[in-house]
Amino acid sequence: MRLSVLAFLCASVGVASLAAQEPVTLSGRVTASGVPIGSVEVVVPSLGLGATTRDDGRYGIVIPGARATPGQTLTVVARRLGYKPSTVQVTLRAGIVEQDFTLAPNPLQLGEIVITGAGTVTEAQKLGSVRNAVDSALVARSNESNIVQALAGKAPNVEVTQQSGDPGASSYIRIRGTRTLSGNGQPLFVVDGVPIDNSSFSTSNFNLNDDLGVGQTDGTVHENRASDLNPNDIESVEILKGAASGAIYGARAGQGVILITTKSGHAGPTRFSLKSSVSFDDLNHHYPLQTRYGEGISGNAPDTSRGGDCDDPGSGSICSRSWGPALAPGSAVYDHSNEAYTTGRVVENDLTISGGNDRTTFYLSGEQYYNNGIIVGNNDQYTRNTVRFRGSHRLADNLKVGANLSYADTRGSFIQRGNNVNGIQLSLLRSPPNFNNLPYLDPQFGLHRTYRFQHPGAGDLVADRGFDNPFYIINEQQNRSKVGRVFGNINAEYTAADWLRVNYTLGADYSNDERLEGCPISSSDVCFAGRVIEGKLVNYQIDHNLSATAKYQLNPNIAGTVTLGQNLNSRNFRQLGNVGRTLITAKPFKVSNTVSRDIPSDAQTIIHNEGYFGQATLDLYDQLYLTAALRNDGSSTFGVQNRRSWFPKGSLAWTFTKVTGERPWLTFGKLRVAYGEAGQEPQPYLTSTNFLSNTIVSGISQGTGETPTQAGLGGLVQGTIKGATALRPERTKELETGFDIGLFRDKSDLSFTYYNAKTEDVILLTPVSAAGTGFTLQASNAATFRNRGLEVTLNMRPIQRQDYGWELGLQWARNRSMVVSLGGAQFVTVGDFEPNVAMVGQELGVIRSIGFLRCGVSASGASAAFDAACAGAAHGALYIDASGFPVVDPDPRVIANPNPRWTGSLRSGFRYKKVQLTALVDVRHGGQIWNGTKGALWSYGTHKDTEDRGASKTFGQGGWWDGPVVGPGAGTAVTIGQNWYRDGDAPCPFTGVDEPCIEDGGYAKLREISVSYTLDAPWVTRTLGVSSVDIRVAGRNLHTWTKYSGYDPETSLGGAAAPVTGIDYFNNPQTRSFNISFTFNR
Amino acid sequence: MKRSLPIALALASVGLMIGACNPFLTGEGLTNDPNNPTTATREALFMGVQATTFGQQESSVALTVCMWMQQCTGGGGRFVEEFGRYVIDENSHNFDFNSVYSGGGLIDIRKIEASAAAAPDSVFLGIAQIYEAHVIGTAADVWGDIPYTQALNAATPTLDNQLAVYDSVQVLLSRAIVNLNGAGPGPGDRDLVFAGDPAAWIEVAHTLKARYFLHTVEAAVAGLLGARTPAQVYADALAQATLGIGNAAGDFDAFHGQATSERNVWYQFQQTTFGIDLVAGKFLVDVLRARSDPRLPQYFAPNASSDWVAHHRYPINSIILDPNGNAELVTAATGDTTSGATQPSWSTTPGTIRVDNNVTWKNYGSPYGGEDVNTAQIVSTVSAVGGTRISPTFRQPFVTWAENELILAEAYNKGAVPNDPLALQHLNNERGSAGLSTLVGITGVALLDSIMTEKYVALFQNIEVWSDYKRTCLPALTPYLTANGALPAYQDKIPGRFYYGANERNTNSNIPAPSAQLSNNGFRNRNDPNACP
């Protein structure tokens, strides 16, 4: 082998030195169905030269005389996404060689280059695992500013949930079910070969005192850092689902990998593209509130005059609820479901300039994105300004170097929400219908007034208001995030020989995120007397990736590649936050303007990874494709005995139509099977047992408790997490198999995949007996999860004519997760607000809580009467006691499953000449939600359901808790009013009886609809000086079909920071938007 | 190409060199948490133990007891109100159960003890042992059987019999007294209660011994202590209390400061989170008003009319379910006496009107369809738990001279000498210090009632009030009527214990399910064989 390599090297050098002197120009035109097509890449692979066609389909490649030998035959390939590549042999001669290409549509993407990660590529038909790719057109059509949200509905079993409709809100992505409980459970994001940070951090997490460690359920929404990417820069996204395709990323690929490729310039004339768009957003669903009963309790109204019942902040509940008397006809009622919202808007401008010549290409873009959200006022905003430069230069014929650099300046101003009296939703939705929240400052003394404290006196600048007035929150609070981020890479591609390519990438990602949360001086509760949180997050990552790929061809039927590589990665994260309390003067919101400070939140983590990988492929008879890869990863987070870990994968793809022959109804058929193992590294420092100084050692609820340091004397307590001595990475072993077929002369294609993933060694903070150990949790590789599912993609192109066409795409997927083992514990809590748990034999994340006594479900023995009534009763029958009401079951049980039964989407596109109409409907079937917002509003008497107070209902009848009932009170009609909604078991957030608040969270959403038209008539060029103008009118989330009664079933209280779904508690609403955009191309 | 190949080789070797550095995976800050210490001195741990103890004695357990003992009433519609209605589950006191054993609790106390023993510092050891006795004794009071002999020493520790736990606590306190008489510098100023004064801690140890002897007296009466008689129990309590806290300066009070995380937890809860949730309890306010007790303004904030008013149990328009299953509606009520301690003799005839204690009830017949009276309706005239008690720096009393005097009074009252005048004398000692008049001429059951009522007043907000009530049923509280959906085991009864924490049950197979806990001994602990009326 070595000898032949040397011989080959010498031979090729010899050829170069004998080259002729005259340059040769290769030019021609590329058409498809007779229409010229632009953006086609025409390349001479052996010389590394290429060009891109213009819109008229023409291209030109100049081959320097030193490299062109007359009479020499070269292979020239024309390829463009969506078309089958065309390869021709061209014999060179002096002067201009004309070579035209005709491309055929390629709906099955055969021959397309697919990036498979860590420097490896393959062709689509050789992939042994399912491919899910999202191109720039689909990203653009989504109208989402967050690339993660743009993936919603784009691939089966890729579930995307947006935290809320706030500008800049994070989106949470889940691929083929949850496979880890470590960190935020998000897939690895890789941009142009370099992993980037996609963390999410709630500012409230700087504030241990008030949040008991669950900051993401109050405070504001937060961003997921991948949203710093400008979606207009994205050329394509490859979603590596599961371990079978992600194994090349080893210990970081357990949740899948999102490979993002940014746009680059192409040889040819410099192209300009300016996109300007404006969107109008509004609330997509109004909260159902009652308007018939006023403030009060038990039918009594409080004295709301100055100095009356509602002017004593500690007065308690007669002023806190809306269980007062019926409002007199004609009395003023205020629309609390609507008053805080207005039409939000988005303005976006994006300019790109790209071009290059045969040796150098460049791509330069700048984006300004501005979003003023739907909450009134100017504190609900998100702006992003990005610039990106990507360039490459061929230093030598066989050495190409490149750089890709992006800077993002991202600023958010948010409105607090969630479980938080200083948040907008809680006070807004609880406001009695007869209380006017405006003006929020009492005219007499100019002080903050609320429905629970209506006339603050001269001395009440600092006094508890019960709940802050929503407009005081909107206008007077400041919650900011300012991020400066630079990320990118330098890279080199060195073709040592035409069979050996070396790739090197050195990437970095640095961000500085400054946070501020300022509660004004007249705030209530934990913000009493004002509170300021100032924090900084510094994150920097460096990634080095070196790989070499050798191609071989043993004979015409046996060929393949061998890749070897090394990866080093360093991630550093630093946080420093301070909480100051009691403002000295009203402004500014600076920690130095406060009387006292909490213990600073000061932490850093450093993670180092070192990985080696190898991959070999074998192509047999142009139909059987084998791939095998192996990665060895070491991580500083692994336990000392398990410093390194192996991750293998193997796959097989067989194009069986090569054997059976193509039929009119079956033009292409591929069977594939793949197996892989991928991991999730442990969170750092789980191996340490620590003493803590900043922990809260006791307390009753949010905002109370003591720290170990007292009286100026430093104290420590043993942390509640016991150090784990031996931790291994989590390991997902996944087998997937399926087929891809092209049907009816490529008019249709169908892809089917089945996968079975078993995740072993799942790291859990497993509860341990506090009494037995003195700790409450210890990390261990305790659990085993299983995720099994099916994925189907069906694309149809029933009509494809030159002037018009119709396409239809259908996706359907289901995933069933199962907790196989938890290493001893019965369940492990995974939620931080409601009791979502991992429980053996259940789907992951089910809600285990208190329900009512039900026959065959509740343990016998809680009550003799219950046991007797259940004899012979239907399973699940609700037990009704003599009072006519159900009875609380003392034993917690699984009462809800937030995981959907299946998900799917339907996309359709019509094209008539230059008009295109596309629509996307995204469906989630099933998946229950704990609607705590509803439960709380029942208690407060403002929910629409409470309007029918005093109605007579019978449990089990007439739509009221339908289903079998038993017991002495079965069939007894009872009055339902305050006794049930407030004083009874219904208000789940306060009683802990969660069964009444469980709802079906399934939905179908019209995610996208758009009409676009391309203006490229000659007058456009004449008058506007541009070659074409694309005009697009679009709608996003225009309609949601759901049975869910809250704002939106797509809600996520914790957002991307907390991988638990199905929790709704005073989160901000979702939005829908209308968008119009103009893109000028030149 | 000749130039390029070395470049590639150089790149490769740079990578390999970086990779070859072994500390790349194990260097500084990579495997050990750079953010937190992994060792702690006993001085630092002692601060954490004190903060934890102060917090435990002032948080969820204490506020639940305050409501169940009707010293406070929960309002605000939050979990506090639910707890007040006896609606609790295994999550309600989960954190409190864990904190007995976890950081700041037993695990740290044991480290301090080991370190003090090794030093040796006998005084430090003795003080740590008192903290251990106090936290374990309190846990036995509220949960009954708890892990103790196997605590911190088994993956799934078994439950010790509550009475055996009290025996262990007695042994531990005896050792503490011996150690406090030994040598050693002690914690000095790091002792936030007594600045390291061994004599003061010895008195606290004796008072605690007296307290825990009394906790076993009902079991002794029931013959559950073998040969040990109630008389012996009282005699032991008397002997210990005689050596107990000799004056109010010797009280074991919490330390609190103005800093955010040093403030009194009751203050934090009332003043800084979700508004006022705890208001004056009817029973206690009635007692205080009836005798013009000077502690009324210390315990509760005046209302807007500068008066002290407790929550009305039965305001107008409230409805309850009477024993016959009929809805009874309050149609009229006058004055603050609307809350009758007794209920009318209900009629089964709809429309019938009954008057009881200034409350007019009307029978609305079956079915029951109204609201439950026991959900605190807080009208604006009700007093909040406040006064001088709700202050950031208020030093919450845990073990006091007042308690010691009243233990003495009870022990003499129940002691070997019939009608021992020392019983009344010790009661009057305590009353005098509280600013109350001297009582004369009462003995026997009437005196016991006065002693226990005074103890109920004096130990406001102290978890000990619940233990006193469970064994004496004094003062004679009327349980709140429970809401719809409450379980029969504590329907219309003051619960006798808490559920074990959910975390412990999840991990320790020795903890019975909540339903089994409910059905065992009427949801009462071992030292409480008899339910109160």
Side-chain angles (χ1 to χ4, degrees):
Chain A
M1 184 73 187
R2 179 178 284 270
L3 266 179
S4 66
V5 168
L6 283 173
F8 185 89
L9 285 175
C10 295
S12 60
V13 170
V15 167
S17 63
L18 292 173
Q21 307 306 310
E22 254 186 90
V24 175
T25 301
L26 199 59
S27 75
R29 188 163 180 262
V30 184
T31 53
S33 315
V35 178
I37 45 175
S39 301
V40 178
E41 217 179 340
V42 183
V43 292
V44 186
S46 61
L47 299 179
L49 297 176
T52 308
T53 60
R54 298 189 298 265
D55 293 338
D56 61 3
R58 294 212 60 93
Y59 74 96
I61 301 172
V62 179
I63 302 173
R67 303 177 66 194
T69 313
Q72 182 186 2
T73 301
L74 292 174
T75 303
V76 183
V77 183
R79 65 167 84 233
R80 192 194 141 168
L81 280 181
Y83 294 90
K84 289 178 182 158
S86 171
T87 304
V88 296
Q89 301 294 319
V90 178
T91 304
L92 295 189
R93 60 173 189 274
I96 295 172
V97 178
E98 191 73 14
Q99 177 63 53
D100 292 348
F101 291 87
T102 303
L103 297 187
N106 185 21
L108 306 179
Q109 304 162 344
L110 303 177
E112 278 185 15
I113 298 296
V114 181
I115 295 170
T116 51
T120 62
V121 295
T122 189
E123 286 175 44
Q125 74 274 17
K126 298 182 182 176
L127 265 182
S129 47
V130 68
R131 181 182 183 203
N132 287 111
V134 179
D135 67 17
S136 56
L138 289 180
V139 171
R141 264 183 228 151
S142 71
N143 268 327
E144 296 287 356
S145 71
N146 182 347
I147 179 60
V148 176
Q149 188 61 28
L151 300 178
K154 303 296 186 297
N157 262 332
V158 176
E159 284 178 75
V160 177
T161 304
Q162 190 166 32
Q163 189 172 13
S164 70
D166 293 74
S170 68
S171 287
Y172 166 71
I173 184 168
R174 180 163 77 168
I175 302 174
R176 290 184 177 171
T178 304
R179 291 157 183 222
T180 185
L181 299 174
S182 287
N184 62 7
Q186 294 295 279
L188 178 67
F189 278 72
V190 177
V191 177
D192 296 323
V194 180
I196 62 156
D197 172 36
N198 182 34
S199 61
S200 297
F201 187 94
S202 165
T203 309
S204 300
N205 283 337
F206 285 122
N207 179 3
L208 283 170
N209 257 46
D210 296 347
D211 297 289
L212 301 173
V214 293
Q216 58 269 21
T217 61
D218 54 23
T220 66
V221 298
H222 41 80
E223 299 146 326
N224 60 294
R225 286 268 70 91
S227 64
D228 294 334
L229 285 168
N230 172 4
N232 299 298
D233 284 345
I234 290 170
E235 175 71 35
S236 67
V237 180
E238 292 282 344
I239 303 171
L240 305 189
K241 289 172 164 178
S245 47
I248 199 78
Y249 285 102
R252 297 182 69 187
Q255 314 342 299
V257 184
I258 308 284
L259 295 175
I260 295 172
T261 304
T262 60
K263 289 177 181 165
S264 50
H266 298 286
T270 301
R271 301 165 72 97
F272 298 84
S273 173
L274 173 67
K275 176 182 159 193
S276 284
S277 78
V278 57
S279 292
F280 299 95
D281 294 358
D282 89 28
L283 183 65
N284 70 346
H285 180 236
H286 296 281
Y287 210 93
L289 298 176
Q290 65 92 5
T291 51
R292 283 177 48 199
Y293 293 89
E295 187 168 19
I297 196 82
S298 302
N300 300 311
D303 170 7
T304 57
S305 62
R306 186 169 289 276
D309 292 337
C310 300
D311 286 342
D312 176 1
S315 68
S317 62
I318 192 163
C319 293
S320 76
R321 297 296 203 269
S322 295
W323 287 103
L327 295 169
S331 51
V333 167
Y334 303 92
D335 184 5
H336 300 311
S337 63
N338 211 8
E339 64 192 7
Y341 305 107
T342 181
T343 302
R345 66 185 190 283
V346 176
V347 178
E348 186 189 13
N349 288 296
D350 182 81
L351 175 69
T352 63
I353 305 170
S354 66
N357 58 30
D358 62 322
R359 297 193 87 84
T360 306
T361 64
F362 75 98
Y363 172 90
L364 180 66
S365 78
E367 183 212 24
Q368 275 188 312
Y369 177 92
Y370 167 79
N371 181 358
N372 192 345
I374 61 165
I375 296 171
V376 298
N378 290 321
N379 285 325
D380 182 30
Q381 286 188 353
Y382 173 77
T383 60
R384 181 177 63 209
N385 292 295
T386 64
V387 288
R388 174 176 289 273
F389 172 76
R390 182 170 185 174
S392 71
H393 180 66
R394 196 172 287 281
L395 276 178
D397 288 348
N398 54 4
L399 180 62
K400 188 165 114 178
V401 294
N404 187 351
L405 201 66
S406 174
Y407 182 77
D409 177 302
T410 305
R411 295 168 192 230
S413 178
F414 305 102
I415 305 287
Q416 292 198 29
R417 86 312 172 219
N419 180 30
N420 174 2
V421 311
N422 311 111
I424 166 184
Q425 295 298 330
L426 199 135
S427 57
L428 182 69
L429 298 177
R430 294 178 182 187
S431 297
N434 57 339
F435 179 77
N436 188 354
N437 277 318
L438 288 168
Y440 66 89
L441 297 178
D442 182 60
Q444 186 157 352
F445 298 105
L447 294 179
H448 173 199
R449 64 185 272 280
T450 71
Y451 80 86
R452 294 171 69 164
F453 191 10
Q454 302 191 359
H455 309 90
D460 290 325
L461 176 69
V462 176
D464 199 306
R465 261 64 175 180
F467 302 143
D468 287 351
N469 186 307
F471 293 96
Y472 187 72
I473 295 167
I474 291 168
N475 292 296
E476 305 287 338
Q477 272 184 12
Q478 277 185 18
N479 303 291
R480 303 230 162 126
S481 161
K482 283 186 194 167
V483 180
R485 182 173 184 182
V486 59
F487 51 122
N489 65 71
I490 53 170
N491 54 71
E493 184 182 310
Y494 171 53
T495 311
D498 70 349
W499 55 271
L500 178 64
R501 186 168 50 89
V502 179
N503 276 314
Y504 180 71
T505 309
L506 181 66
D509 179 1
Y510 181 95
S511 67
N512 182 55
D513 186 351
E514 294 181 86
R515 303 288 181 93
L516 171 71
E517 257 187 39
C519 284
I521 198 161
S522 300
S523 300
S524 308
D525 191 44
V526 291
C527 278
F528 184 76
R531 186 188 70 192
V532 179
I533 304 174
E534 282 186 281
K536 284 182 173 54
L537 302 168
V538 177
N539 195 333
Y540 70 95
Q541 309 193 357
I542 297 174
D543 188 83
H544 145 111
N545 200 80
L546 175 65
S547 67
T549 301
K551 278 195 280 193
Y552 65 90
Q553 177 127 26
L554 298 183
N555 64 45
N557 293 322
I558 301 177
T561 62
V562 176
T563 304
L564 291 173
Q566 183 205 34
N567 175 251
L568 298 172
N569 182 275
S570 168
R571 280 167 280 158
N572 297 262
F573 178 75
R574 178 101 169 91
Q575 71 175 71
L576 179 61
N578 276 298
V579 180
R581 294 175 193 278
T582 309
L583 285 165
I584 297 167
T585 57
K587 291 280 171 63
F589 290 135
K590 296 293 291 179
V591 168
S592 51
N593 184 32
T594 60
V595 174
S596 71
R597 261 75 56 186
D598 292 0
I599 294 171
S601 152
D602 176 5
Q604 60 180 322
T605 57
I606 310 171
I607 300 173
H608 282 186
N609 303 93
E610 180 190 25
Y612 297 91
F613 54 90
Q615 175 169 298
T617 65
L618 176 62
D619 304 349
L620 297 173
Y621 297 92
D622 208 19
Q623 57 174 277
L624 196 60
Y625 306 102
L626 288 108
T627 306
L630 188 62
R631 181 165 176 135
N632 181 278
D633 265 343
S635 170
S636 59
T637 62
F638 297 174
V640 69
Q641 298 98 318
N642 303 296
R643 193 56 77 200
R644 305 204 68 92
S645 240
W646 292 97
F647 299 94
K649 80 166 186 180
S651 71
L652 174 68
W654 176 40
T655 310
F656 61 85
T657 38
K658 296 267 184 187
V659 175
T660 61
E662 290 184 18
R663 308 281 154 79
W665 56 273
L666 182 69
T667 45
F668 173 78
K670 177 173 87 173
L671 289 174
R672 51 183 157 76
V673 57
Y675 172 83
E677 298 185 8
Q680 163 77 38
E681 66 195 359
Q683 293 288 292
Y685 313 134
L686 288 173
T687 50
S688 274
T689 302
N690 298 320
F691 291 90
L692 306 176
S693 60
N694 59 352
T695 189
I696 300 297
V697 292
S698 55
I700 300 172
S701 64
Q702 282 172 304
T704 66
E706 312 279 290
T707 51
T709 292
Q710 297 279 317
L713 298 164
L716 291 169
V717 293
Q718 180 78 67
T720 54
I721 301 174
K722 190 175 183 186
T725 50
L727 280 184
R728 295 180 299 277
E730 300 177 4
R731 179 177 296 273
T732 296
K733 299 176 175 176
E734 184 159 1
L735 177 73
E736 73 167 62
T737 182
F739 59 82
D740 302 311
I741 51 176
L743 298 163
F744 309 115
R745 300 187 196 282
D746 289 351
K747 277 201 186 314
S748 177
D749 61 271
L750 174 70
S751 171
F752 172 88
T753 305
Y754 163 83
Y755 62 91
N756 185 349
K758 190 171 176 189
T759 309
E760 295 171 348
D761 289 340
V762 176
I763 296 164
L764 291 179
L765 281 178
T766 314
V768 293
S769 162
T773 64
F775 297 92
T776 55
L777 298 166
Q778 181 178 30
S780 63
N781 292 96
T784 303
F785 300 158
R786 195 176 64 207
N787 281 282
R788 279 201 290 228
L790 304 174
E791 293 162 2
V792 181
T793 305
L794 174 65
N795 293 306
M796 289 177 283
R797 293 163 289 275
I799 303 170
Q800 290 293 334
R801 299 283 189 275
Q802 193 170 327
D803 279 352
Y804 57 94
W806 175 38
E807 294 182 1
L808 198 61
L810 239 149
Q811 294 181 345
W812 181 89
R814 62 171 261 178
N815 180 73
R816 289 286 183 276
S817 70
M818 225 262 273
V819 178
V820 179
S821 147
L822 287 173
Q826 302 170 58
F827 65 89
V828 177
T829 303
V830 297
D832 46 22
F833 192 72
E834 268 300 291
N836 293 75
V837 296
M839 192 168 180
V840 175
Q842 299 283 342
E843 287 204 52
L844 198 55
V846 295
I847 296 175
R848 175 186 177 276
S849 184
I850 299 290
F852 291 116
L853 283 179
R854 285 181 182 274
C855 299
V857 174
S858 308
S860 59
S863 148
F866 168 68
D867 293 347
C870 282
H875 182 86
L878 185 66
Y879 175 75
I880 305 294
D881 78 359
S883 67
F885 284 92
V887 176
V888 171
D889 183 346
D891 296 333
R893 62 173 191 253
V894 173
I895 59 165
N897 183 355
N899 299 297
R901 301 298 79 204
W902 55 263
T903 52
S905 67
L906 174 67
R907 168 183 293 281
S908 190
F910 300 89
R911 168 176 62 80
Y912 177 73
K913 292 190 172 166
K914 288 164 185 164
V915 180
Q916 280 205 20
L917 170 67
T918 60
L920 172 66
V921 175
D922 190 7
V923 181
R924 180 174 82 182
H925 180 72
Q928 290 168 304
I929 295 179
W930 176 82
N931 188 350
T933 311
K934 177 171 79 173
L937 297 183
W938 281 342
S939 176
Y940 277 80
T942 57
H943 196 280
K944 189 79 179 169
D945 290 349
T946 67
E947 196 158 87
D948 194 19
R949 55 190 67 174
S952 181
K953 306 267 192 191
T954 306
F955 280 84
Q957 292 177 21
W960 183 253
W961 292 75
D962 280 342
V965 292
V966 295
T972 304
V974 290
T975 305
I976 295 295
Q978 185 180 331
N979 62 323
W980 170 251
Y981 287 124
R982 170 171 140 69
D983 307 334
D985 297 316
C988 60
F990 311 129
T991 59
V993 182
D994 287 324
E995 190 175 339
C997 293
I998 303 301
E999 287 192 55
D1000 181 0
Y1003 61 76
K1005 270 189 187 217
L1006 182 55
R1007 284 264 181 218
E1008 305 164 17
I1009 185 161
S1010 70
V1011 184
S1012 62
Y1013 180 73
T1014 303
L1015 267 177
D1016 57 358
W1019 65 264
V1020 173
T1021 313
R1022 273 201 317 274
T1023 56
L1024 299 175
V1026 297
S1027 55
S1028 67
V1029 182
D1030 296 322
I1031 302 168
R1032 205 160 66 90
V1033 179
R1036 186 189 128 270
N1037 290 343
L1038 285 191
H1039 192 77
T1040 303
W1041 294 268
T1042 182
K1043 284 184 264 179
Y1044 187 66
S1045 73
Y1047 273 129
D1048 196 305
E1050 184 184 3
T1051 182
S1052 170
L1053 185 58
V1060 165
T1061 54
I1063 301 300
D1064 182 354
Y1065 200 67
F1066 294 100
N1067 200 2
N1068 280 344
Q1070 292 286 0
T1071 59
R1072 57 179 176 177
S1073 51
F1074 299 89
N1075 170 284
I1076 179 158
S1077 71
F1078 297 90
T1079 307
F1080 301 90
N1081 301 305
R1082 189 194 142 128
Chain B
M1 190 162 294
K2 277 175 182 167
R3 262 178 313 155
S4 313
L5 195 59
I7 295 173
L9 291 174
L11 280 174
S13 57
V14 165
L16 289 168
M17 272 158 54
I18 298 168
C21 301
N22 213 24
F24 188 72
L25 296 182
T26 55
E28 183 66 32
L30 287 168
T31 47
N32 280 323
D33 186 345
N35 303 302
N36 294 296
T38 51
T39 59
T41 61
R42 68 173 176 275
E43 284 80 10
L45 289 174
F46 186 55
M47 300 311 302
V49 165
Q50 293 177 85
T52 304
T53 300
F54 303 158
Q56 284 167 339
Q57 296 286 326
E58 294 170 7
S59 55
S60 305
V61 174
L63 79 83
T64 311
V65 168
C66 191
M67 292 190 292
W68 288 0
M69 292 297 100
Q70 300 176 20
Q71 295 174 322
C72 313
T73 301
R78 297 173 65 225
F79 67 95
V80 188
E81 188 176 318
E82 301 297 332
F83 284 13
R85 292 162 49 197
Y86 315 145
V87 177
I88 55 166
D89 59 36
E90 64 176 348
N91 291 308
S92 303
H93 299 93
N94 179 45
F95 185 90
D96 307 275
F97 186 89
N98 290 342
S99 81
V100 170
Y101 300 96
S102 60
L106 193 59
I107 187 168
D108 287 347
I109 297 173
R110 290 277 171 85
K111 287 198 187 87
I112 296 167
E113 289 169 356
S115 157
D121 185 341
S122 186
V123 172
F124 213 142
L125 175 59
I127 293 171
Q129 285 169 326
I130 292 175
Y131 273 91
E132 176 172 341
H134 188 219
V135 68
I136 294 298
T138 306
D141 294 344
V142 299
W143 287 287
D145 296 357
I146 55 168
Y148 187 54
T149 53
Q150 292 185 2
L152 311 185
N153 204 18
T156 58
T158 52
L159 295 171
D160 289 4
N161 181 316
Q162 182 203 27
L163 298 167
V165 175
Y166 283 134
D167 288 345
S168 303
V169 166
Q170 293 290 355
V171 170
L172 188 61
L173 287 166
S174 298
R175 281 200 213 125
I177 292 165
V178 171
N179 287 325
L180 284 161
N181 282 309
D189 285 345
R190 285 187 169 261
D191 172 4
L192 299 174
V193 181
F194 296 123
D197 177 9
W201 280 112
I202 288 170
E203 290 188 2
V204 169
H206 284 297
T207 301
L208 278 175
K209 283 181 75 82
R211 173 195 281 190
Y212 292 124
F213 277 128
L214 288 182
H215 288 194
T216 62
V217 75
E218 190 182 356
V221 171
L224 299 175
L225 298 187
R228 196 164 153 79
T229 63
Q232 286 170 319
V233 174
Y234 283 118
D236 284 342
L238 181 58
Q240 291 299 327
T242 306
L243 299 169
I245 299 169
N247 55 60
D251 286 359
F252 175 10
D253 296 340
F255 163 84
H256 290 294
Q258 285 285 2
T260 306
S261 57
E262 297 182 4
R263 298 168 301 174
N264 183 301
V265 182
W266 287 90
Y267 166 83
Q268 293 185 39
F269 186 64
Q270 284 288 79
Q271 295 298 323
T272 66
T273 73
F274 284 87
I276 304 283
D277 285 322
L278 290 168
V279 295
K282 173 75 182 157
F283 194 95
L284 179 56
V285 170
D286 283 352
V287 169
L288 293 170
R289 286 177 73 99
R291 59 192 198 185
S292 305
D293 196 309
R295 287 168 291 194
L296 182 58
Q298 295 166 21
Y299 291 178
F300 302 109
N303 65 8
S305 324
S306 304
D307 194 5
W308 281 268
V309 177
H311 164 54
H312 296 241
R313 277 198 65 205
Y314 301 135
I316 292 172
N317 289 330
S318 43
I319 304 175
I320 64 159
L321 182 68
D322 74 17
N324 304 314
N326 293 322
E328 300 280 350
L329 174 75
V330 178
T331 55
T334 51
D336 182 44
T337 52
T338 51
S339 90
T342 57
Q343 286 159 4
S345 52
W346 307 106
S347 160
T348 53
T349 314
T352 308
I353 289 175
R354 287 276 182 275
V355 179
D356 170 74
N357 217 359
N358 296 337
V359 186
T360 305
W361 297 91
K362 183 175 182 186
N363 185 331
Y364 265 62
S366 189
Y368 168 54
E371 72 171 71
D372 186 279
V373 295
N374 300 301
T375 55
Q377 174 181 333
I378 302 166
V379 292
S380 61
T381 51
V382 174
S383 303
V385 172
T388 52
R389 286 268 168 157
I390 298 299
S391 145
T393 55
F394 178 70
R395 300 192 60 173
Q396 201 73 34
F398 302 141
V399 187
T400 59
W401 171 80
E403 179 183 352
N404 196 69
E405 281 301 296
L406 296 167
I407 291 172
L408 286 170
E410 182 187 353
Y412 281 118
N413 174 268
K414 289 283 202 172
V417 182
N419 298 331
D420 192 329
L422 287 171
L424 185 56
Q425 186 188 317
H426 282 286
L427 172 60
N428 279 329
N429 285 348
E430 195 281 335
R431 282 175 61 96
S433 119
L436 294 176
S437 60
T438 302
L439 293 177
V440 290
I442 54 168
T443 56
V445 174
L447 176 56
L448 181 67
D449 186 82
S450 293
I451 293 166
M452 296 317 294
T453 303
E454 175 52 26
K455 201 172 175 190
Y456 170 84
V457 173
L459 270 58
F460 175 53
Q461 296 176 310
N462 194 313
I463 298 165
E464 180 62 9
V465 175
W466 192 21
S467 289
D468 282 339
Y469 174 77
K470 286 188 283 189
R471 65 188 175 82
T472 64
C473 300
L474 291 174
L477 304 172
T478 303
Y480 291 154
L481 296 174
T482 44
N484 304 322
L487 282 149
Y490 50 83
Q491 208 155 32
D492 307 336
K493 287 192 194 74
I494 296 172
R497 61 186 296 272
F498 295 152
Y499 292 107
Y500 293 113
N503 179 77
E504 191 65 22
R505 186 169 76 84
N506 186 19
T507 55
N508 186 349
S509 51
N510 296 306
I511 307 290
S515 52
Q517 295 178 45
L518 266 182
S519 56
N520 180 28
N521 193 31
F523 201 54
R524 292 191 312 280
N525 290 327
R526 234 176 254 277
N527 70 336
D528 186 15
N530 306 305
C532 290

